[in-house]
Amino acid sequence: MKRGRPRRTQLQCIDTIPQVNDTTFEELKSQLLELDQRILTLGQKILPKGYTMQFESPYLAISNISDKKKLSADDARILVSRALQGNLHQQYAQAFGEYYIVTTCRARSFYGKNVDTSKKIGLVIVRLKRIFIIARYDVPETSFDFIPILELFADKLAEFDY
């Protein structure tokens, strides 16, 4: 009988999602009450045309202007709380009136697709020091186009200590 290396039955890739010092939604909300006007003009320059930004502490919602769906405060509270706890990827995420499944978890970002695969809609959540960016992209934007632009915008916000 030939003995070799034991085979792995399953490839495991574990990327721990760091928490933000046990911060809660209410603590983040009290830290940042308004957004600098420079951020809004910067967002208009970086983001694709037709996208709007809606700020309510501690999150910045970004969506297509042609879409009538808005991010409700309850959905944002749940998304931010679950992202702070590090378990956003364990259940469906509800935002902008749709359900999403989180497909990718990074150190500061979560990417998801709509549960209804016939719709070409995606969700991106980026966690910064004092703010969360919750963005929804739709056709004609794809994840390959939209995510790098949003990450660039998040980097610029991080430079302003948000």
Side-chain angles (χ1 to χ4, degrees), residues 104-153:
T104 307
C105 299
R106 303 280 178 177
R108 72 172 190 179
S109 305
F110 300 92
Y111 310 136
K113 294 282 186 185
N114 195 311
V115 174
D116 184 2
T117 56
S118 65
K119 297 179 181 179
K120 304 293 185 206
I121 302 172
L123 182 71
V124 181
I125 300 172
V126 181
R127 177 176 60 196
L128 298 174
K129 186 176 178 181
R130 297 188 297 160
I131 193 171
F132 276 78
I133 302 172
I134 303 171
R136 175 186 189 268
Y137 61 90
D138 200 350
V139 176
E141 302 296 326
T142 64
S143 60
F144 298 110
D145 298 331
F146 189 77
I147 291 173
I149 291 171
L150 192 69
E151 290 286 350
L152 174 67
F153 180 58

Side-chain angles (χ1 to χ4, degrees), residues 31 51 71 74 128-129 160:
Q31 286 180 6
Y51 279 83
L71 180 64
D74 292 335
L128 298 174
K129 186 176 178 181
F160 287 112

Side-chain angles (χ1 to χ4, degrees), residues 19-160:
Q19 294 188 356
V20 183
N21 302 329
D22 298 326
T23 308
T24 63
F25 182 87
E26 286 78 21
E27 290 172 355
L28 281 176
K29 188 172 185 174
S30 65
Q31 286 180 6
L32 184 65
L33 299 177
E34 63 182 38
L35 200 62
D36 191 357
Q37 185 62 33
R38 295 178 298 173
I39 302 304
L40 299 176
T41 57
L42 179 69
Q44 291 172 350
K45 290 178 183 177
I46 293 177
L47 294 173
K49 291 184 180 182
Y51 279 83
T52 61
M53 293 180 287
Q54 169 195 356
F55 174 72
E56 289 189 33
S57 184
Y59 65 90
L60 177 65
I62 300 173
S63 64
N64 199 334
I65 199 168
S66 65
D67 190 21
K68 304 295 183 207
K69 297 179 181 175
K70 300 285 184 194
L71 180 64
S72 71
D74 292 335
D75 289 345
R77 176 183 292 273
I78 291 169
L79 289 174
V80 169
S81 298
R82 286 176 51 199
L84 285 170
Q85 294 168 0
N87 63 4
L88 182 62
H89 62 287
Q90 294 176 353
Q91 298 176 1
Y92 290 125
Q94 182 178 0
F96 300 98
E98 303 277 344
Y99 285 96
Y100 301 88
I101 185 164
V102 176
T103 57
T104 307
C105 299
R106 303 280 178 177
R108 72 172 190 179
S109 305
F110 300 92
Y111 310 136
K113 294 282 186 185
N114 195 311
V115 174
D116 184 2
T117 56
S118 65
K119 297 179 181 179
K120 304 293 185 206
I121 302 172
L123 182 71
V124 181
I125 300 172
V126 181
R127 177 176 60 196
L128 298 174
K129 186 176 178 181
R130 297 188 297 160
I131 193 171
F132 276 78
I133 302 172
I134 303 171
R136 175 186 189 268
Y137 61 90
D138 200 350
V139 176
E141 302 296 326
T142 64
S143 60
F144 298 110
D145 298 331
F146 189 77
I147 291 173
I149 291 171
L150 192 69
E151 290 286 350
L152 174 67
F153 180 58
D155 290 339
K156 296 292 183 184
L157 280 177
E159 288 176 9
F160 287 112

